[in-house]
Amino acid sequence: MRPIIGITGRKDTSARLVHSQMYSVGETYVHAVHQAGGAPVILPPMLAETDWTALLGRLDGLLLSGGEDLHPRQYGQFPEAWLGGVDETRDTSELGLIHAALEMQKPIFAICRGIQALNVALGGTLYQDLAAQVPGALDHAFLMSRSLDQSVHPVTLEADSTLARILGGVTFAVNSAHHQSIQTPGAGLRVVGCAPDGVIEAVELADYPFCIGVQWHPEALVRSDPAMASLFAALVEAASS
Ligand code: MN
């Protein structure tokens, strides 16, 4: 039986239909999970405390998708001028889900905003804007206006990391569509991959069955790079056991 993988969604106001306020998730996330053998379920970004454990009790794994910035109050900072758009309802919804998943030892795969949310849930902090706060940083937001199926910078992984084992190597070309990143890693998070400028691109939770985070978008690379598909296979495999 296919393991059920919950994928966090976002608020979407782009539609001009009767239901102009929608909850959505990029189809590449859904397809990546499905092609890896998981049964994907989209989770709305408005879940309350009573929902977190109820949902996690039925899910076999959690995929944290990309999206807007987390509000800095979640990591004890004030918003700077360069902060992007936020959705505090989603912050509450997602951070609660992460805590519930960690408590229940559910497999977690965190992508882009997801790695940032995972970090904040564990008490870490974020750079609110790399261009403004990290001198010499690459243009990590480069691809926000371009196609996500192109790789733009390398990531080098720790050779003994779970991610290096799954991906079958230590250096990978990745896409990049983020203007924030991890500043201080949260409790238990091991930094296992960085861009050439030192920006944190990959983490793993130590002493935990399966919890990995990447700052890039593997879901958009699964067709061109089989290694990226193996990340979703690893999530599904962890969720099956
Ligand atoms: Mn990047």
Side-chain angles (χ1 to χ4, degrees), residues 49-68:
E49 194 167 357
T50 46
D51 305 313
W52 298 328
T53 47
L55 274 167
L56 260 306
R58 309 247 180 137
L59 296 174
D60 301 305
L62 182 62
L63 176 59
L64 302 168
S65 70
E68 54 280 281

Side-chain angles (χ1 to χ4, degrees), residues 120-211:
V120 168
L122 291 165
T125 63
L126 306 177
Y127 287 115
Q128 293 186 37
D129 186 75
L130 289 169
Q133 293 178 284
V134 181
L138 298 166
D139 184 6
H140 288 269
F142 175 72
L143 270 177
M144 282 187 177
S145 56
R146 303 273 295 272
S147 169
L148 264 181
D149 59 11
Q150 293 172 301
S151 298
V152 289
H153 70 68
V155 165
T156 303
L157 299 169
E158 297 291 335
D160 65 344
S161 63
T162 301
L163 267 165
R165 181 178 54 76
I166 295 169
L167 288 166
V170 293
T171 306
F172 288 87
V174 301
N175 52 17
S176 192
H178 59 106
H179 79 114
Q180 301 194 319
S181 77
I182 292 174
Q183 184 180 44
T184 309
L189 277 185
R190 178 190 175 201
V191 176
V192 297
C194 290
D197 55 5
V199 166
I200 295 172
E201 292 268 348
V203 295
E204 300 174 1
L205 188 55
D207 303 320
Y208 189 90
F210 185 92
C211 180

